[in-house]
Amino acid sequence: MPVLDVTVIRIPYVKAYTDRIGRARRYLRKPGCKAVRLPGAPGSAEFMAAYHAALGEPAPRSSSQAAGTVGALICDYYQSAPFSNLKPESQRVYRAILGRFGTKHGHRMVHDMPRSKVAAYIHEIGVVRPGMANLTRKVLRRLLAHGVRVGYRTDNPVTEIDSYKLGTHHTWTETELAAFERRWPLGTRERLAYALLLYTGQRGGDVVKMRRADISDGTIAVVQQKTGTALSIPIHPELLATMKARPMNGLTLIGDIRGRPIARCTLTLLIRKAVEKAGLPPECVAHGLRKAQMRRLAECGASTKQIAAISGHKTLQEVERYTAAADQRRLSRGAIAKLKPRSRTEQDT
């Protein structure tokens, strides 16, 4: 049997490893510099752009990155202030989306790229993943807006492309919450994950980053990844009981079975499997626990500002969207109770 001559190309300062769920991850680890995660496959335009950006060097341009092409615009956008101002997690998402777009359309000239091409690309994604299509539309709109600013073209072909109408995450009902708690008693990892999501009212990405060191004077300090909002969340007695029932053996409040930090997707998967075993419907997802907390607060008469102090929302509209499932019957009774009864004299006149 012939022996294959496999050549391994090593890129300076790039270290690779496989995470616990089997995904390959690569980082640039240069002595004296902060480690930077590199997206995409080694050698791809997305990977090399991130690699050279991490080194502080201009990325060499391939044929698909010739002057005036989509590939060149993407490289220019990576060096722009709007992109630099994004949070690291947002930059990672933008690079992933633009990397895929650049692979397919990087050779095209920006000035004569028709709207129909961009619309077809977004529609192809939307057939299967409408949420991702909307995110792609948002990223491409910002990319082309940068193209207009720097003179690649005079109009933005993405602005007139319609977004997909999405449903909202299901808000867990009290019956569903009780069923989960019956199946997963205090002391289980599933109950701890559930309680952290429910009683802090935070997104999964923020929950997995909560550390023991963030607890002080009966509160948990949180800096939300999505908004950068700093919050101080009082620890509810139910959450405290859950935390005491399952002592932590790591730095974070929720980790894997060995106490090591976990990713948001791992937390989401943990809740999904626990929901299935509890016999609950699949729409009971992790994010719905955040909405359930907002619903409970609204039903208890918390003000919009009080709810926003937990959720981190900036506007009234966002809070109202999250509390839309508040118990209408209970709220309507409260409203009618505020009406003073009319006297008999007033009724007869």
Side-chain angles (χ1 to χ4, degrees):
M1 183 176 179
V3 178
L4 295 178
D5 181 14
V6 179
T7 302
V8 178
I9 300 176
R10 299 189 182 280
I11 304 175
Y13 309 118
V14 174
K15 305 295 182 183
Y17 74 95
T18 302
D19 66 16
R20 57 182 168 275
I21 60 175
R23 291 185 302 187
R25 296 184 181 274
R26 300 172 183 85
Y27 286 81
L28 184 138
R29 297 185 182 275
K30 184 177 180 181
C33 299
K34 183 179 179 181
V36 178
R37 184 180 173 188
L38 302 172
S44 66
E46 176 190 16
F47 180 93
M48 297 311 296
Y51 173 75
H52 287 285
L55 288 175
E57 302 173 352
R61 294 193 171 182
S62 64
S63 58
S64 66
Q65 296 170 331
T69 62
V70 169
L73 175 59
I74 292 174
C75 287
D76 287 345
Y77 181 60
Y78 286 156
Q79 307 301 319
S80 70
F83 183 80
S84 298
N85 291 337
L86 294 172
K87 291 181 173 58
E89 179 64 17
S90 295
Q91 288 187 2
R92 184 189 66 79
V93 173
Y94 274 51
R95 285 188 183 277
I97 291 173
L98 293 176
R100 289 192 292 268
F101 185 69
T103 298
K104 189 166 186 177
H105 295 291
H107 63 285
R108 297 183 183 279
M109 298 302 292
V110 178
H111 69 85
D112 61 1
M113 172 174 262
R115 173 184 171 279
S116 58
K117 284 287 183 185
V118 184
Y121 178 81
I122 294 173
H123 177 69
E124 183 180 351
I125 299 172
V127 170
V128 181
R129 302 176 65 190
M132 177 55 70
N134 285 347
L135 182 56
T136 300
R137 174 183 174 274
K138 174 184 176 180
V139 173
L140 294 183
R141 179 169 53 82
R142 293 189 176 183
L143 172 71
L144 271 299
H146 175 71
V148 172
R149 283 195 299 271
V150 297
Y152 275 72
R153 62 184 295 152
T154 58
D155 67 313
N156 188 334
V158 186
T159 54
E160 295 182 0
I161 298 176
D162 294 331
S163 59
Y164 286 81
K165 184 177 181 180
L166 303 177
T168 59
H169 286 99
H170 168 68
T171 303
W172 290 46
T173 66
E174 290 302 316
T175 301
E176 290 164 345
L177 295 173
F180 189 97
E181 293 176 5
R182 284 194 300 272
R183 176 60 179 83
W184 301 106
L186 295 177
T188 60
R189 182 163 167 258
E190 289 80 1
R191 180 63 170 268
L192 176 59
Y194 158 91
L196 285 168
L197 287 162
L198 177 63
Y199 289 106
T200 67
Q202 301 306 302
R203 302 176 183 88
D206 295 319
V207 168
V208 297
K209 293 186 177 298
M210 293 177 180
R211 304 168 302 164
R212 286 189 288 177
D214 297 326
I215 298 177
S216 177
D217 296 328
T219 64
I220 302 175
V222 178
V223 177
Q224 293 185 327
Q225 284 184 307
K226 183 175 181 179
T227 64
T229 303
L231 302 172
S232 179
I233 309 297
I235 299 177
H236 190 277
E238 291 287 342
L239 175 56
L240 181 60
T242 307
M243 294 166 62
K244 287 182 176 180
R246 186 177 178 85
M248 293 160 279
N249 58 348
L251 297 178
T252 55
L253 300 187
I254 180 70
D256 64 13
I257 56 175
R258 296 183 181 178
R260 297 172 299 187
I262 59 175
R264 180 189 60 80
C265 59
T266 304
L267 178 64
T268 300
L269 180 61
L270 175 64
I271 294 296
R272 185 164 72 233
K273 289 183 176 179
V275 162
E276 182 179 351
K277 292 179 180 179
L280 292 171
E283 58 263 28
C284 290
V285 298
H287 194 74
L289 291 170
R290 170 172 161 86
K291 297 187 69 175
Q293 176 72 326
M294 302 304 106
R295 171 184 59 76
R296 280 181 163 183
L297 291 171
E299 290 174 355
C300 289
S303 69
T304 301
K305 285 188 175 181
Q306 288 175 322
I307 295 173
I310 299 297
S311 69
H313 287 126
K314 299 294 186 182
T315 66
L316 174 63
Q317 289 78 7
E318 289 177 321
V319 175
E320 289 178 340
R321 179 168 59 88
Y322 268 71
T323 57
D327 187 348
Q328 185 273 334
R329 184 179 179 183
R330 188 180 307 178
L331 292 175
S332 64
R333 284 181 177 178
I336 295 299
K338 293 181 181 294
L339 294 175
K340 294 181 180 180
R342 297 168 60 195
S343 67
R344 178 62 59 184
T345 302
E346 291 176 325
Q347 294 178 22
D348 293 339
T349 58

